[in-house]
Amino acid sequence: MNFGIAVHGGAGTMPRKLITPEIETACRNALKKAMQSGFAIIRDGGSSLDAVEAAVIELENFELFNAGKGSVFTNKGKHEMDAGIMDGKTLQCGAVAGVEHIKNPVALAKKILHHSEHILLLNDGAEEFAKMHRVEFADDDYFFTQLRYDQYLKAKNKDIIVLDHVDDKKLGTVGAVALDKEGNLAAATSTGGMTNKLFGRVGDSPIIGAGTYANNRTCAVSCTGHGEYFIQHVVAYDIHCLMEYKNMTLQQATEHVINDKLKNINAEGGLIAIDTKGNICLPFNTSGMYRGWMKSENDFFTAIY
Ligand code: ASP
């Protein structure tokens, strides 16, 4: 029986000399811990949906990744977080955008999936829904990290919006995809967005079909990269369509989109994807992407470059 999970902690330009061994070890450990928590759920017969949520919560709690704690700052010096989650069996999905005080935005997205007739809730409305469903809140201090704040001041001074500046040790968006023992697929993505982004800007992560998509007919996908391009090219859904309508394999579809289509227009990023047979692909067109997969306790992989 094939089942498994893959995770990412964002793609970007990652000059090797700037990632210290300590940072590399901390990131790989965070990826492994996230995979272990998701994997334990599917190993014990739980759903891929619960597994991707559990994995993304771990990654949101790890402050070096740009999601939950450690999220980047908007041009107003605040945190506005986006997250999306999708169940490949039912095609139910839930998403939040621009939330400021939700400890784990992916958990709120999952509450919306289960308990709302809507799919995407924004800032205050999302937070009101969170209160009703007893989702955990955190104050500004919880999300603050000096590292992100310094990056923000630097970007603001230069008047630029930054996708990745690993030279300043900013790491990326997080996500997970999984296949469970019942053959069900799920995907989840969570992010703080881009440093110095215009307040109110929403990226691809919570846009179903752009940054996040799962469908039991084909695959589950979680993206990272320059969100505007991922929205324009409906990247996650495009992978599904290439498989469903063009009969491409997961490998062909993901390579085509990341290393052909997006690369040709200088759209930086990558994705993680898993299909109904448990094949996993982790392509990226940047110098690195924090990524990993786990198929059993002893069969796992993590990498950055
Ligand atoms: N895709 C995210 C966004 O545009 C950023 C990232 O993946 O680093 O919001």
Side-chain angles (χ1 to χ4, degrees), residues 1 14 23 37 56 65 78 83 95 97 101 133 149 179 195 222:
M1 188 185 301
M14 297 169 186
I23 292 180
S37 64
V56 169
F65 290 146
K78 294 175 103 180
H101 303 109
H133 292 272
Y149 193 65
L179 170 69
T195 297
S222 169

Side-chain angles (χ1 to χ4, degrees), residues 15-55:
R16 278 172 197 255
K17 62 177 186 326
L18 296 168
I19 305 222
T20 63
E22 292 74 28
I23 292 180
E24 176 163 350
T25 305
C27 291
R28 280 172 177 260
N29 286 344
L31 292 169
K32 190 171 165 203
K33 192 169 168 214
M35 292 193 294
Q36 281 168 332
S37 64
F39 184 81
I41 292 173
I42 44 180
R43 179 202 56 211
D44 297 344
S47 72
S48 53
L49 191 69
D50 288 344
V52 294
E53 181 200 26

